[in-house]
Amino acid sequence: LVPVVVFAQVLADGWQDASLEALQQAQQEISNRISQLRAVSAPSDARVELSGEGTSILSGVSVDFSPSRVVIECDGKTSVTFTGGKYDYTFDASSYSVDFFDETGTFDLLIESVGSWSVTVEPIVDGGILPMEGKGSFVSDFFELSAPMIVTVSSDATGMDALLSNLIVKLCHQYENIESWQRESLTNELLSGGDTFSADVILQPVDGRTQYCLSVTCEPDVAWSITPKA
């Protein structure tokens, strides 16, 4: 986060003389604060929480919020398919995965697993902030994006158990003229054990849209960060 003194200086009467870097830092801090305030005022939506063991069929699972994140935690290879909507949606995990989901309705879940599992569907809400970092798959909450922004995507696969992993980062937002959600690819890098990666990408806002989130897909032990570039 931007130091308070920098934030205060930029907003002072002499902000017209502030440097470009200081203005960009202040803009990011303002965006993060707006996102935090919206998160506080946002209504609390229900979560869908399911658990079991082995291969199962669950009928009549209602998801009445969108978009959402689907979180799978499991002991061993697991595949979860949502059927009964516009299309079938399949999410796979070996131990843990998080995926973006933008459908509502009542679904049948076809779960193929060799062990115990849990599936959580939870709404994406306001409150996301940049920078962000983590390990493994991730879907952020909504963050402010009022102007194009350069961010640095970095990853470190030195702790990865798998032989290979894709690092896929997407910017999720609605299209300009329709309500459907778009997942805009920012990176898709193939990593092997010990690899590190870093690249600058541009987050581009869409006219008339205010909700943006980032999704990261990779193996559970791959560390990553997404940081605004000064």
Side-chain angles (χ1 to χ4, degrees), residues 42-82:
S44 177
D45 289 297
R47 291 156 50 102
V48 176
E49 296 180 310
L50 307 165
S51 62
E53 187 166 352
T55 297
S56 306
I57 298 175
L58 303 180
S59 299
V61 177
S62 180
V63 178
D64 57 8
F65 44 79
S66 174
S68 60
R69 60 175 68 86
V70 176
V71 183
I72 301 173
E73 298 180 78
C74 55
D75 294 324
K77 186 177 180 181
T78 298
S79 175
V80 178
T81 300
F82 287 68

Side-chain angles (χ1 to χ4, degrees), residues 9 23 35 39-40 47 89 116 135 155 157 174 185 187 189:
Q9 287 174 348
L23 288 171
S35 187
V40 170
R47 291 156 50 102
Y89 302 88
S116 60
K135 278 189 175 183
S155 66
Q174 288 175 300
S185 180
T187 66
E189 187 73 13

Side-chain angles (χ1 to χ4, degrees), residues 131-152:
M132 56 184 70
E133 63 182 7
K135 278 189 175 183
S137 297
F138 173 81
V139 177
S140 78
D141 282 325
F142 294 127
F143 58 89
E144 293 290 311
L145 185 62
S146 58
M149 178 191 304
I150 300 173
V151 297
T152 301

Side-chain angles (χ1 to χ4, degrees), residues 1-2 25 28-29 31-32 36 127-134 138 140-141 143-144 149-154 203 214 224-230:
L1 295 180
V2 177
Q25 288 178 331
Q28 184 59 53
E29 177 68 2
S31 294
N32 286 346
Q36 290 168 342
I129 60 173
L130 290 164
M132 56 184 70
E133 63 182 7
F138 173 81
S140 78
D141 282 325
F143 58 89
E144 293 290 311
M149 178 191 304
I150 300 173
V151 297
T152 301
V153 177
S154 300
L203 307 184
L214 287 163
W224 55 266
S225 64
I226 302 172
T227 307
K229 190 170 184 179

